[in-house]
């Protein structure tokens, strides 16, 4: 199993760089850069490409609707060149709160937008003249313009990973993507995802070996059972935010993902409390099982066992979010986790 992490440069340039450079020295395989509603991903990736030597860098994720497909392709081709081929393109639909509420771009038809975006990007990667007529994109627009190709060198080998949660987008991921960037993952409920991924793989004439499964979770080490109880309790508010506050009042893909994995009643109750303004009440409804099921939190033997379960469930790359107040603390946690992954063989 390969190892990865995700950073977001809103923490600060120096802190982000120090963490990634040391993570590379520790032997981490991949670093994905998020943008969410903070710093953008491509700028940070260019900066990291100039300072790192071995680690694979990826956009985790660039959000559909914030850039045209060709602008995304231009950034990807540039970053692949700057990193000497160490770049992977991660794309995601995000959600209506960010896309519409922050960027002022319609969120409608994310499935169609994703499929067409990938098709246009692959034309650009191949060095073809870009000509596309779909439901979301018309390139070039009718009139005097003619199809153009980018002046940068083609690079059809840049892998494209999709961050998806809903059934139809998961199926699309299996059909057209090189990798899946997942979240809200419970290995015991993995069929809620793999059922749709496998349907897409079959539709595309592919197998599970053709899709890199990259799953993320917080990793934190407890000294003993008493320490673990405190750690789990402190994470309940964070999970309540994901279930109740991520997305809009009507659309929350994280809540839906937990619901499909066996927690529909609890997820609905948490969301109702959160939307009513009762944050503490929402957190109180999150169970220990829900926290432990989707994280790598526990004593060292517990985390080692969970990593084995993740691997056996079909995870190719585990994306680790190491706990810690400082860079040094987070790196210490990361180092311990990397040792456990290596011990799996």
């Amino acid at each position: 199993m390969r190892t990865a992490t995700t950073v977001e440069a809103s923490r600060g340039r120096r802190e982000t760089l120090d963490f990634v450079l040391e993570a590379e020295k520790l032997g981490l395989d991949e670093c994905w850069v998020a943008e969410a509603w903070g710093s953008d991903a491509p700028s940070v990736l260019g900066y990291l490409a100039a300072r790192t030597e071995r680690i694979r860098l990826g956009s985790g994720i660039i959000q559909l609707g914030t850039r045209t497909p060709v602008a995304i392709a231009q950034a990807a081709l540039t970053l692949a060149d700057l990193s000497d081929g160490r770049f992977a393109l991660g794309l995601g639909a995000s959600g209506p709160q960010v896309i519409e509420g922050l960027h002022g771009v319609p969120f409608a038809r994310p499935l169609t937008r994703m499929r067409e975006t990938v098709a246009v990007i692959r034309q650009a990667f191949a060095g073809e003249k870009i000509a596309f007529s779909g439901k979301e994109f018309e390139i070039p627009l009718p009139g005097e313009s003619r199809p153009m190709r980018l002046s940068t060198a083609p690079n059809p080998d840049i892998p494209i990973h999709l961050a998806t949660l809903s059934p139809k987008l998961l199926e699309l991921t299996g059909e057209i993507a090189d990798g899946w960037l997942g979240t809200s993952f419970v290995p015991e409920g993995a069929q809620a995802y793999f059922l749709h991924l496998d349907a897409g793989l079959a539709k595309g004439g592919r197998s599970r070996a053709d899709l890199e499964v990259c799953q993320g979770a917080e990793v934190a080490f407890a000294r003993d059972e008493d320490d673990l109880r405190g750690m789990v309790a402190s994470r309940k508010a964070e999970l309540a935010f994901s279930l109740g506050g991520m997305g809009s009042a009507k659309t929350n893909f994280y809540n839906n993902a937990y619901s499909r994995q066996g927690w529909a009643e609890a997820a609905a109750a948490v969301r109702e409390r959160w939307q009513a303004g009762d944050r503490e009440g929402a957190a109180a409804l999150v169970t220990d099982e829900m926290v432990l099921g989707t994280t790598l939190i526990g004593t060292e033997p517990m985390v080692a066992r969970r990593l084995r379960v993740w691997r056996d469930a079909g995870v190719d790359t585990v994306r680790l979010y190491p706990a810690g107040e400082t860079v040094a603390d987070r790196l210490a946690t990361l180092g311990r986790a990397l040792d456990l992954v290596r011990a799996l063989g």
Side-chain angles (χ1 to χ4, degrees):
M1 193 160 57
R2 288 172 59 83
T3 56
T5 194
T6 295
V7 298
E8 203 268 335
S10 293
R11 281 179 175 265
R13 173 183 61 86
R14 187 72 251 175
E15 181 175 335
T16 300
L17 178 63
D18 289 346
F19 177 77
V20 174
L21 291 178
E22 291 303 314
E24 183 177 48
K25 292 176 184 177
L26 288 172
L28 189 76
D29 296 308
E30 305 176 1
C31 178
W32 296 84
V33 177
E35 58 182 22
W37 50 90
S39 58
D40 80 294
S43 299
V44 179
L45 286 160
Y47 182 66
L48 294 176
R51 301 298 300 271
T52 55
E53 297 179 358
R54 177 197 54 79
I55 198 168
R56 184 166 82 157
L57 301 169
S59 56
I61 47 126
I62 287 177
Q63 301 155 319
L64 300 187
T66 62
R67 303 163 180 85
T68 68
V70 174
I72 295 172
Q74 287 177 301
L77 286 162
T78 302
L79 289 166
D81 182 53
L82 291 174
S83 64
D84 292 325
R86 292 184 287 124
F87 176 72
L89 175 62
L91 298 172
S94 189
Q97 179 57 51
V98 172
I99 298 302
E100 297 185 350
L102 182 63
H103 294 283
V105 176
F107 181 73
R109 299 182 296 278
L111 178 66
T112 301
R113 185 179 291 269
M114 180 73 83
R115 181 183 290 278
E116 293 187 4
T117 295
V118 172
V120 173
I121 288 172
R122 287 213 160 112
Q123 280 190 10
F125 283 179
E128 300 172 3
K129 287 187 177 181
I130 300 166
F132 188 86
S133 181
K135 294 180 179 179
E136 292 293 317
F137 301 104
E138 184 78 19
I139 306 173
L141 289 174
E144 297 183 6
S145 56
R146 296 291 182 268
M148 297 175 59
R149 62 168 54 90
L150 297 178
S151 61
T152 50
N155 188 347
D157 296 326
I158 299 173
I160 298 177
H161 289 57
L162 302 184
T164 54
L165 286 171
S166 66
K168 290 296 184 181
L169 279 165
L170 286 166
E171 185 174 328
L172 180 67
T173 302
E175 181 185 352
I176 69 172
D178 300 298
W180 174 46
L181 297 173
T183 187
S184 305
F185 179 77
V186 184
E188 291 82 1
Q191 276 305 108
Y193 295 112
F194 286 128
L195 177 69
H196 306 293
L197 288 168
D198 288 341
L201 287 166
K203 187 176 181 180
R206 309 193 309 156
S207 69
R208 191 78 67 82
D210 297 311
L211 184 75
E212 180 186 348
V213 174
C214 180
Q215 275 294 338
E218 181 188 4
V219 58
F221 294 98
R223 294 184 300 275
D224 51 36
E225 293 294 331
D226 287 339
D227 188 33
L228 177 59
R229 278 191 288 272
M231 293 172 67
V232 170
S234 70
R235 267 61 175 190
K236 291 184 177 181
E238 298 171 8
L239 183 49
F241 169 68
S242 293
L243 295 173
M246 288 291 285
S248 67
K250 294 183 178 179
T251 306
N252 185 319
F253 298 115
Y254 300 95
N255 191 291
N256 294 342
Y258 273 83
S259 297
R260 288 193 295 271
Q261 294 177 100
W263 287 309
E265 186 175 338
V270 170
R271 180 177 182 177
E272 183 178 355
R273 287 283 185 91
W274 186 278
Q275 291 295 325
D278 184 5
R279 307 296 194 251
E280 291 185 3
L285 293 174
V286 176
T287 66
D288 292 2
E289 182 186 16
M290 292 172 75
V291 174
L292 293 172
T294 53
T295 64
L296 294 166
I297 295 176
T299 61
E300 194 160 296
M302 287 176 61
V303 174
R305 287 195 296 271
R306 290 303 288 172
L307 283 168
R308 188 174 297 109
V309 171
W310 278 50
R311 182 198 62 187
D312 294 346
V315 175
D316 301 304
T317 302
V318 58
R319 199 166 67 255
L320 302 163
Y321 305 121
E325 293 296 321
T326 67
V327 170
D329 291 340
R330 289 161 55 215
L331 287 168
T333 301
L334 179 63
R336 291 176 70 181
L338 294 178
D339 287 342
L340 293 179
V341 174
R342 295 184 188 110
L344 291 176

